[in-house]
Amino acid sequence: MTGAPAPSSARRRLAQLSIRARLMLIGLAGLAGALLIGGFLLYAVLTTSLGRSVEGTARASAEQVALLVDSGRLPDPVPVSGAQVVQVLDAEGRIVTGSVTADRLTALVTPDERRRALAGEQVTVAGSRSGLSGRLMVAVVEAGPAVPTGRQFSVVAAAPTAVVEQSASTLRALLLWIFPLLLALLAVIAWRVIGAAFAPVESLRQGAERIDESSSESERLPVPPTRDEVSALATTLNAMLDRITAARHKQRAFVADAAHELRSPLASMRTQLEVAQRLGEGGDLPAELLADLDRLTTLVADLLILARADDAATTREAAQVDVARLVTDVCGRYAHARVPVRTTPGLAGRHLLTRGSGADLARALTNLVDNAVRHARSEVLLDADAVGHRLEVTVTDDGHGIPVEDRERVFDRFTRLDEARDRDGGGSGLGLAITRALVRRSGGDVRLEAAQPGLRAVLHLPTATAGTLPRSEAGVAVDARGELLVDGKRASVERSDEDGPAT
């Protein structure tokens, strides 16, 4: 047996609605209740008032006839106005006289109804007792003695209730039609009024949604011109954003300064270790320390990249980048990788243009390929294609993949999954964070999704039409020292160890 939903379930469903909808529903519920109670009271008062009016009319007629009975001047038939019915009954309930509209053989009321009417109770009878349609409201008044014998009489006067019934029916119809229409009209008005009241809140929400890591740090929430709670909230939130911006500036300055200051002692240490290694001093210790020094140097370089990528004041000149050529050239760097790295057939001959920094995109793509090479079982596949108004660059490996719940977390800085915590075989945990930061600087984004089997990294980049930006088709190469070259120039970023992970 199933019962009604629990109140807590109704409250949960109500809580899932917007504040605007909740306020409107609560207001309409209260208004509907008030209108219902008001309509019921109006109906009750009106019908009662009309009923008493009809009863009063019948009682007045009965009293007038009773005066005639008391004075012994009762005419036959009894004169009445309109559709009223009057009968004069003796103590045994027999008809003595009556109006033209009254039956002379059958009494209009039963003895019980006559007692109730004399007691002040409102009594109605069927109009068919007097050959009329509808119902009659009865009033009974005692009269007499009319003759010297001292006999008592009862004057029964009845008036039709058609006016009361018609008025009640009309009122019911009006209430049943007007109340829903009134509620619908008020619902529309309430929805618009509440929407106008919440317009500043929606403006705040949209402004807050626009502010993200890629937004200008000077962007703030719109402050309504009013002096209400919403305006105070916007001002408070903007002050909070100012404090967050100041804290981020301090953090970036610290990271950038620390990384910059570490480069000089690291270079000095490298020089001393290389000299010691060439002179044969220290045995195997210089070689072991050089490996750790390489890892530390890469980490410092990564921190500098992140600090510059986070700095909104540091911008790269936007130019057209041939994504197909970029992917093909990056793939060429991995001719001797642990697993084969290849592109889809026909990619080299295509022209897929985006706008951004060729160095940033080359470094981002290199990080993804490094990561795929490290985790792939047999091969890594690169591809690029136009999807709608955007370009998609994919790096697919057939490795073990990443669980769904970790695919966004790995973009956080210094995030390392359980299987990659061994720093001798893993990276610094900054590769994917650098990739996302660099791609977002070019107006794109990156995400991870499942492949069958393995993992697929997808770069989303904006498209660029020919002639809108300076031509700069990015070509990637490696010089004799193993440095990354973009368009024949050394890129301003250093890449991690080829066999190290980007995550």
Side-chain angles (χ1 to χ4, degrees):
M1 179 178 179
T2 59
S8 59
S9 177
R11 284 195 297 268
R12 284 195 300 270
R13 287 196 296 269
L14 183 63
Q16 293 173 355
L17 299 176
S18 64
I19 297 179
R20 184 181 183 182
R22 276 182 280 170
L23 287 177
M24 194 188 73
L25 287 178
I26 293 172
L28 287 180
L31 183 61
L35 289 177
L36 184 63
I37 295 174
F40 177 78
L41 291 177
L42 176 64
Y43 181 82
V45 169
L46 181 62
T47 53
T48 302
S49 176
L50 290 175
R52 291 187 182 279
S53 176
V54 173
E55 183 184 15
T57 300
R59 186 170 296 278
S61 298
E63 290 175 348
Q64 291 176 0
V65 174
L67 291 176
L68 295 176
V69 173
D70 292 342
S71 63
R73 295 184 290 108
L74 181 66
D76 189 14
V78 178
V80 295
S81 61
Q84 292 183 359
V85 178
V86 175
Q87 287 181 337
V88 179
L89 307 180
D90 60 13
E92 287 76 23
R94 295 188 295 266
I95 299 174
V96 177
T97 185
S99 63
V100 177
T101 56
D103 192 336
R104 296 302 184 94
L105 299 177
T106 305
L108 190 61
V109 293
T110 63
D112 179 63
E113 291 171 342
R114 183 171 62 176
R115 286 192 299 271
R116 287 163 49 201
L118 288 172
E121 185 178 344
Q122 196 174 73
V123 177
T124 59
V125 299
S128 58
R129 295 183 184 182
S130 186
L132 300 174
S133 60
R135 297 189 65 81
L136 301 174
M137 187 166 290
V138 177
V140 180
V141 177
E142 293 286 356
V147 293
T149 57
R151 296 174 59 190
Q152 294 291 326
F153 296 92
S154 297
V155 179
V156 180
T161 62
V163 174
V164 178
E165 294 173 355
Q166 183 179 2
S167 298
S169 175
T170 302
L171 181 59
R172 284 196 306 268
L174 288 175
L175 293 178
L176 290 177
W177 282 99
I178 291 178
F179 275 14
L181 293 177
L182 181 60
L183 279 178
L185 177 62
L186 291 176
V188 174
I189 295 175
W191 183 260
R192 292 186 173 275
V193 170
I194 296 174
F198 274 93
V201 178
E202 177 62 17
S203 179
L204 286 179
R205 187 197 66 79
Q206 293 177 356
E209 189 176 28
R210 288 193 300 268
I211 298 177
D212 55 19
E213 294 180 2
S214 60
S215 302
S216 171
E217 293 186 349
S218 62
E219 187 171 354
R220 292 294 179 264
L221 299 176
V223 179
T226 58
R227 295 184 178 179
D228 53 11
E229 293 81 356
V230 178
S231 177
L233 175 62
T235 303
T236 303
L237 291 176
N238 282 335
M240 180 187 68
L241 289 174
D242 291 337
R243 293 192 297 270
I244 293 175
T245 300
R248 291 179 66 181
H249 282 162
K250 292 179 181 179
Q251 179 189 14
R252 292 170 186 168
F254 170 76
V255 173
D257 292 343
H260 182 74
E261 292 300 325
L262 284 173
R263 297 180 75 176
S264 295
L266 288 174
S268 178
M269 293 170 60
R270 173 183 293 277
T271 300
Q272 296 179 45
L273 289 173
E274 289 177 349
V275 171
Q277 188 179 32
R278 287 182 178 276
L279 296 177
E281 297 177 356
D284 295 333
L285 183 59
E288 296 175 359
L289 292 178
L290 280 172
D292 292 332
L293 192 62
D294 289 338
R295 187 177 296 110
L296 185 57
T297 302
T298 301
L299 175 59
V300 171
D302 289 345
L303 289 174
L304 275 174
I305 294 172
L306 284 174
R308 292 167 183 165
D310 288 339
D311 190 355
T314 303
T315 59
R316 292 296 185 95
E317 181 182 355
Q320 286 186 356
V321 178
D322 190 332
V323 175
R325 181 182 174 190
L326 175 67
V327 172
T328 303
D329 291 345
V330 168
C331 180
R333 299 185 55 207
Y334 293 87
H336 304 289
R338 184 181 65 86
V339 296
V341 178
R342 61 183 182 87
T343 61
T344 55
L347 178 62
R350 303 183 61 187
H351 288 282
L352 302 173
L353 301 180
T354 187
R355 60 181 181 272
S357 168
D360 285 351
L361 296 179
R363 174 60 191 264
L365 184 58
T366 300
N367 281 354
L368 294 178
V369 178
D370 284 344
N371 195 67
V373 168
R374 178 173 179 269
H375 294 287
R377 290 191 177 95
S378 61
E379 71 169 357
V380 174
L381 179 63
L382 309 183
D383 192 14
D385 199 2
V387 180
H389 298 289
R390 300 184 70 82
L391 301 180
E392 283 191 0
V393 180
T394 59
V395 179
T396 307
D397 66 77
D398 58 354
H400 46 72
I402 296 178
V404 176
E405 61 273 13
D406 292 327
R407 288 176 192 164
E408 189 64 26
R409 185 171 66 89
V410 293
F411 287 101
D412 297 336
R413 299 175 184 185
F414 297 105
T415 298
R416 300 167 59 84
L417 302 183
D418 293 340
E419 60 189 343
R421 287 179 179 170
D422 180 8
R423 294 196 179 272
D424 290 336
S428 62
L430 294 175
L432 287 179
I434 291 173
T435 298
R436 172 164 282 180
L438 295 178
V439 172
R440 285 181 172 176
R441 286 181 62 174
S442 296
D445 205 351
V446 58
R447 75 170 191 272
L448 301 179
E449 60 185 34
Q452 299 298 330
L455 184 72
R456 179 180 295 107
V458 184
L459 287 177
H460 295 276
L461 301 172
T463 58
T465 57
T468 59
L469 292 169
R471 186 70 174 175
S472 177
E473 294 188 354
V476 179
V478 183
D479 63 9
R481 298 176 55 190
E483 300 293 348
L484 183 64
L485 300 178
V486 179
D487 287 334
K489 300 179 182 179
R490 182 168 179 257
S492 60
V493 297
E494 295 85 358
R495 62 175 297 272
S496 60
D497 200 309
E498 185 177 18
D499 290 332
T503 59

